[in-house]
Each structure stands twice: as C-alpha cells, then as structure tokens.
Amino acid sequence: MAESAFAERSDGSEEKVSGAEVIAQALKTQDVEYVFGIVGIPVTEIAVAAQKLGIRYVGMRNEQAACYAASAVGYLTGRPGVCLVVSGPGLIHALGGMANANVNCWPLIVIGGSSERRQETMGAFQEFPQVEACRLYCKFSARPSSIETIPSIIEKAVRSSIYGRPGPCYVDIPADFVNFQVNVNSIKYMECCLPPPVSMAETSAVYMAASVLRNAKRPLLIIGKGAAYSRAEEAIRKLVGQCKLPFLPTPMGKGVVPDNHPNCVSAARSRALQFADVIVLFGARLNWILHFGLPPRYQPDVKFIQVDICAEELGNNVKPAVSLLGDINAVTKQLLEQFDKTPWQYPAESSWWQTLREKMESNEAASKELASQKSLPMNYYTVFYQVQEQLPRDCFVVSEGANTMDIGRTVIQNYLPRHRLDAGTFGTMGVGLGFAIAAAIVARDRNPGKRVICVEGDSAFGFSGMEVETICRYNLPIVLLVVNNNGIYQGFDADTWKEMLKFGDATEVAPPVCLLPNSHYEQVMTAFGGKGYFVETPEELQKSLRESLADTTKPSLINIMIEPQATRKAQDFHWLTRSNM
C-alpha cells in the first residue's frame, strides 16, 4: 500500500482527513495529473484539495467541454484525465463527453458529486440516478460505500479505463462525503496501478497473416487511432519501409507514419479501398468511417487482416481472413519478425502502385487547381493550402466541422502521431476547443513551445465558443481558425440574406442550415484579451497567421470568410454512405 500524504498532529493526537482530501490523494497516488471541470456544490473542495497536491485543475465553462478535454488527455498521455462535475445537470452535461470517449476508446475518469445519502428518494437538490445513468456510457460506474473505500474505487476506475479497450469510468461522490472527517489512519491508499499488460497474437495467426500479405496483388495497410494510442509508430514505420507497402491513415491515425511519406495513398483513398485485395487493419474498425468493409466500397472478395486489442471487435461486419488479437505495437513487431526471417518487399513497379500514383496525381492536381483560384471570397482549398504552408511540422492540429474537417484532413498534413484530434468515431461537434485546451496544457508540461492549431467551422465553433475565455484565462497560445461560410454545410452572403428576409421572418424563410452572415467571431477572442483577425483575402490570411504563430504570449482567433456555397471537389464516393443533403 502507498503511504498517505497526511501525518499525525504534533501533539500526538490522530490527524483527521476529509473526503475531498482522500479523493485528491487517491488520484495523486494513481498518477492522475489533470482535472478539468466546473466547480460548485458539492465538489469545490475536491478541486482545491487536488491543487494542493500538485494536480493541475483547469476550470472550464461547460461540462461537455471539460469532459472532452479530460478524454483528450487520456488519448495524448495514456493516463486518464479527470472530469469533475456537480450533481444532476452537471453530470448530465458531461454525458456527451463520456459517450464520445466511450466510442473513441479513450481513457477517462468522471467524478460527479451527488446528493446526500440521507436525502435519497426525498427530492434532494439535483437528485438523479447518476451511477445507473452512467453505466450506459462507461466501462465501470460505482459509488464508494464509505470514505475508506474511495481509494480502492478510484484505483479500479483508473485501471479499468486503461486496461483492455480503453474507455471512460465514473465515480459517484455523495455530498456528505466531501467534508466529512475521518481518522487518517483508517485510509489505506492503493498502489498505483501498473501500465496495461501487453498481449500478443498467436504465433500461428501471425505466420498466416504474413503469408496472406506476401501473396497479395494489391495490398493496403490502414492505420487507425488505435495504432496511435498504442505507440506503434516505430514498428509500423519500419513495416511500411521494409515491405514497401501502401498505407492509408484514418483521420486520427494521421502521423503514425508521416503524411508526406511516399507510401501514403491518402490522395487516392477511394481507389485504394475499392480495389485492394488484402487489407491490414492496425487499430482501425470497420465502421462508418471505413464504410463497414462492404461493397461497393470494397471488392467482394477482399481479405481483411484485423489487428485489434478487443476480441469483440474481430469479425464485425466482415469475416476476417486472419484475426490478430493483441496490442497493436506488439503484434506489429511480431509481423516484422516474420519478414525479418524471410525478407519480402512489395514491388514498386507493380500495376497497383501505378494505379494509385496516377489517381493521387490526378486528385492532388484538382485540389491545387481549386486552391489557385483567385476569385473572392476564398474557397476551402485556398484557405487550407495557405495554412499548410505556415504550420510548424510538430504542431497539434485540432479540427471539427463538416467540410472544414473533411477537406482540411486532405490538405493539412501531420508528421507525428497523436497530433491530430477531430470529431472522431462518434462524429461529435463541439469537441474542438476542449481538445485544443487539453493539447495545449499537455504540450506546456511536456513540450514547451509546441503550438496548437484549432481549425473550426463556424457552426462547430458555436458549440463551445465560450471556452475562448478559458483559453485566455490560462493564457494558452492556441491559434483558432474559424472557417466561416455563414452556415452549416453552406450559407448565404449578406445580400442574399437581406433579400430573403423581405419574404418573411427568418424562422419561416431561412433554410435550417443558415447562420447569420459575416459574424465577427474574432471579437469573442478580443473581448477576453486575445488577438482577433477578420480576414477575407489570402494575403490577409497569410499575414494574420504569421503574426499569430510568431506570438507565443497570447491566443489568437482568425475569422476567415469563404464563399458561402463553397464545397469540396467531386468525390468518387460521398464520405458518408448517404449524402447529408
């Protein structure tokens, strides 16, 4: 057992400790570094106690954003962040972040205050069945039966969040526990849980997978965020380079192998998926992002080799040719051993490579043609090519929105793993500023000077825009880019908006996708002391971004006006199975 941080009094009498202090010490003992939340009755004392022990507390403006931030810390560090919320509505607001972490498979601890035990069923202040409600979103949801059991419950929550498939866990704290005092010697703190045990695939399955890959005529590796989370970048980069295989990253798998690697076929995504005959999935699931692994996006007889930490994931939607159950990094090393024993390379002169390269060149040329257009307002491609030219290679890129996120993913490159955060598997809007805050806090501690660039659609920004105050309060040098097309997917220019309103009230005539034209979101940033820019031309964008990146003392928001009807280039397939419009 780990020793308590609390000692006996100097007069020999027994020291007392509050429930809040026990919670804080239990978190500290489990190597929890960051707490995000909104304090109030009954959890304020928990945040104060955590700060006294050196745990970072970041006060947010909405529990959803706090939960998004805490979950991003789990993904970036491998150790769960904590979201601290008040009872009832406070917890309910956090459920969105818990659901997002659950679907993304990110470790997270939510600690929620709840009504006093003696007032249960009496209609207590903000009374709500919190433990039961959270079970739908969690791997583990529990209320300690006493203050003495808090350390063991927190240890189990932390351990459950990182063992197996990572995910969120919930710990419920009755209000009367927070300030209640118990003898310090009655508290036994659990030793810090060890990192997850590393599991490896069966040797025979690894041999079979290597054999299937050697016989492929049109192979493809798909690198998911599970590979990023497992720190598999070194092994996967070696596999790609040694076997000369084409690879395709999922949105948050970007950077495990750098996007500018010659074997990256992101620019021919649809072609690669549609015609590959053997596909290796490294921590990527055959869900909507990968079109379920089914025709017409894939060949009917395509062979999948699934590598996943979760046994229940193997065989979802398609029957894999080979299943490799285990840690992505460990299993990739097992595959490398097979290719070290019997070296093999996929031929660079194959017709498959020729097909992919031709499509890549065609798509890249189309994107550059759109980016080179001189007409105003700008389009997405003009904006993102201008941004890409100036971004530091080691920056974190946070992105959310519809076209903003999807088009930005194809242009803005990542060179390092776990350096892209976006709407993720759950397609959650509103994550951007919480993710950016988490990345900036982690970067400040681990990589001082590393920048965070948050690229938002104007609609996406609206979900969590007040977190700009949080960014300014903690003086996080985040650069926010709001790509503003006056709407959700598309909007109208100011003149069209005024003409439309001549025919009736906006509730009657304005399409549901429209937002107010030319909104000055940059003034939200200047209102709290940061720098704001309103830009309409490539030259203004270049200048404002250059100034924002040069200033490491203040956050910035660049409000970028684009053509309201701008969209992406023609697609072989829509990103979703069905078009949104």
Side-chain angles (χ1 to χ4, degrees):
M1 299 290 181
E3 292 185 4
S4 168
F6 307 101
E8 289 188 358
R9 297 179 188 273
S10 58
D11 62 3
S13 62
E14 193 158 27
E15 179 73 63
K16 296 284 188 178
V17 61
S18 71
E21 292 171 313
V22 171
I23 294 164
Q25 182 61 46
L27 292 173
K28 183 72 173 179
T29 303
Q30 296 305 320
D31 280 350
V32 169
E33 297 181 75
Y34 304 98
V35 176
F36 301 81
I38 298 179
V39 296
I41 298 171
V43 301
T44 303
E45 291 84 353
I46 298 173
V48 172
Q51 283 185 312
K52 287 181 178 178
L53 293 178
I55 297 173
R56 302 292 189 94
Y57 175 78
V58 182
M60 306 285 282
R61 299 304 300 267
N62 182 282
E63 289 92 353
Q64 268 194 13
C67 208
Y68 295 143
S71 68
V73 161
Y75 175 63
L76 294 172
T77 69
R79 206 75 185 176
V82 169
C83 178
L84 179 66
V85 298
V86 300
S87 51
L91 176 71
I92 291 170
H93 292 165
L95 292 180
M98 295 169 70
N100 189 66
N102 192 41
V103 175
N104 271 347
C105 309
W106 288 357
L108 165 70
I109 305 297
V110 176
I111 296 178
S114 60
S115 50
E116 294 187 18
R117 291 170 297 167
R118 63 185 176 83
Q119 296 176 349
E120 283 184 356
T121 75
M122 296 175 64
F125 175 66
Q126 295 183 334
E127 184 176 1
F128 186 70
Q130 298 182 178
V131 175
E132 295 86 347
C134 289
R135 285 200 175 107
L136 183 61
Y137 308 93
C138 286
K139 295 181 69 179
F140 172 74
S141 179
R143 169 190 276 195
S145 59
S146 65
I147 291 177
E148 288 79 4
T149 60
I150 285 173
S152 63
I153 293 292
I154 286 179
E155 186 276 340
K156 183 169 183 178
V158 171
R159 177 163 42 86
S160 298
S161 76
I162 60 177
Y163 277 35
R165 172 179 275 181
C169 295
Y170 176 68
V171 178
D172 193 72
I173 303 295
D176 48 313
F177 277 16
V178 175
N179 290 309
F180 190 75
Q181 304 271 320
V182 297
N183 291 333
V184 67
N185 290 334
S186 69
I187 306 297
K188 303 297 182 185
Y189 292 97
M190 308 293 292
E191 290 184 1
C192 183
C193 68
L194 297 172
V198 176
S199 55
M200 302 175 71
E202 294 181 3
T203 303
S204 59
V206 176
Y207 178 85
M208 184 182 301
S211 177
V212 171
L213 195 51
R214 289 177 196 275
N215 291 314
K217 292 182 171 56
R218 299 180 302 279
L220 178 67
L221 308 182
I222 297 181
I223 303 170
K225 68 176 176 289
Y229 181 82
S230 73
R231 274 62 178 169
E233 53 267 19
E234 184 178 340
I236 291 179
R237 289 178 187 185
K238 185 177 179 182
L239 180 66
V240 168
Q242 184 171 317
C243 297
K244 310 299 182 187
L245 291 163
F247 74 90
L248 177 71
T250 65
M252 276 192 274
K254 284 162 62 70
V256 171
V257 185
D259 283 343
N260 64 345
H261 191 286
N263 289 31
C264 180
V265 296
S266 290
R269 181 184 189 276
S270 294
R271 186 65 54 89
L273 296 179
Q274 190 177 13
F275 294 105
D277 67 342
V278 172
I279 296 177
V280 187
L281 298 164
F282 288 106
R285 291 171 283 175
L286 292 174
N287 52 29
W288 67 275
I289 292 178
L290 290 176
H291 320 293
F292 315 108
L294 300 174
R297 300 290 193 130
Y298 297 83
Q299 292 294 299
D301 58 351
V302 60
K303 294 179 180 178
F304 286 102
I305 299 171
Q306 276 188 283
V307 186
D308 206 285
I309 192 79
C310 179
E312 289 83 356
E313 188 61 41
L314 301 172
N316 272 351
N317 298 325
V318 301
K319 183 178 180 180
V322 188
S323 296
L324 300 176
L325 175 63
D327 175 78
I328 310 299
N329 187 32
V331 174
T332 305
K333 290 177 180 178
Q334 287 181 282
L335 281 169
L336 278 167
E337 289 176 5
Q338 292 294 324
F339 292 116
D340 286 339
K341 291 176 184 176
T342 310
W344 169 82
Q345 289 184 351
Y346 184 69
E349 67 280 2
S350 68
S351 59
W352 179 227
W353 263 122
Q354 183 179 348
T355 297
L356 293 173
R357 290 193 174 111
E358 287 176 356
K359 188 62 175 176
M360 290 165 64
E361 291 172 3
S362 171
N363 285 342
E364 287 168 353
S367 295
K368 288 178 180 177
E369 173 64 24
L370 287 166
S372 67
Q373 292 179 8
K374 304 297 184 184
S375 59
L376 295 177
M378 295 180 284
N379 63 44
Y380 287 103
Y381 294 89
T382 303
V383 168
F384 291 133
Y385 272 94
Q386 296 289 339
V387 170
Q388 172 60 30
E389 286 182 359
Q390 292 198 48
L391 288 191
R393 289 176 64 89
D394 66 345
C395 71
F396 288 94
V397 176
V398 180
S399 184
E400 65 171 331
N403 289 330
T404 297
M405 182 177 65
D406 295 342
I407 298 172
R409 171 178 50 83
T410 68
V411 179
I412 296 176
Q413 296 196 325
N414 290 88
Y415 308 100
L416 297 171
R418 299 170 297 282
H419 277 59
R420 178 184 164 88
L421 297 162
D422 65 22
T425 310
F426 211 27
T428 309
M429 292 296 103
V431 297
L433 273 66
F435 283 0
I437 289 167
I441 293 288
V442 170
R444 177 179 283 182
D445 288 348
R446 288 167 165 76
N447 303 101
K450 183 171 285 194
R451 302 309 300 272
V452 176
I453 315 299
C454 185
V455 187
E456 301 270 306
D458 51 329
S459 172
F461 177 75
F463 282 83
S464 56
M466 190 51 85
E467 298 301 336
V468 168
E469 188 273 335
T470 308
I471 291 170
C472 290
R473 184 170 8 115
Y474 293 104
N475 198 29
L476 302 173
I478 296 167
V479 179
L480 287 168
L481 307 178
V482 177
V483 184
N484 189 348
N485 69 347
N486 302 334
I488 304 170
Y489 306 114
Q490 295 179 336
F492 289 131
D493 59 44
D495 291 339
T496 305
W497 177 263
K498 289 177 183 177
E499 283 297 314
M500 181 175 59
L501 293 185
K502 292 178 181 179
F503 297 96
D505 184 82
T507 59
E508 299 172 314
V509 298
V513 296
C514 287
L515 299 174
L516 189 67
N518 299 339
S519 294
H520 282 264
Y521 298 111
E522 78 283 355
Q523 293 182 7
V524 179
M525 178 64 80
T526 58
F528 297 115
K531 290 187 174 181
Y533 302 86
F534 184 84
V535 306
E536 299 179 284
T537 69
E539 293 74 24
E540 291 172 345
L541 175 55
Q542 289 172 1
K543 182 175 183 293
S544 61
L545 184 55
R546 186 164 53 248
E547 290 178 3
S548 298
L549 290 170
D551 188 350
T552 59
T553 65
K554 281 187 176 182
S556 303
L557 191 154
I558 305 174
N559 186 13
I560 308 165
M561 303 307 300
I562 67 167
E563 166 56 48
Q565 299 295 308
T567 185
R568 68 187 72 186
K569 66 179 178 60
Q571 304 287 298
D572 292 341
F573 289 97
H574 287 292
W575 172 245
L576 296 173
T577 304
R578 257 190 328 218
S579 172
N580 285 312
M581 299 294 291

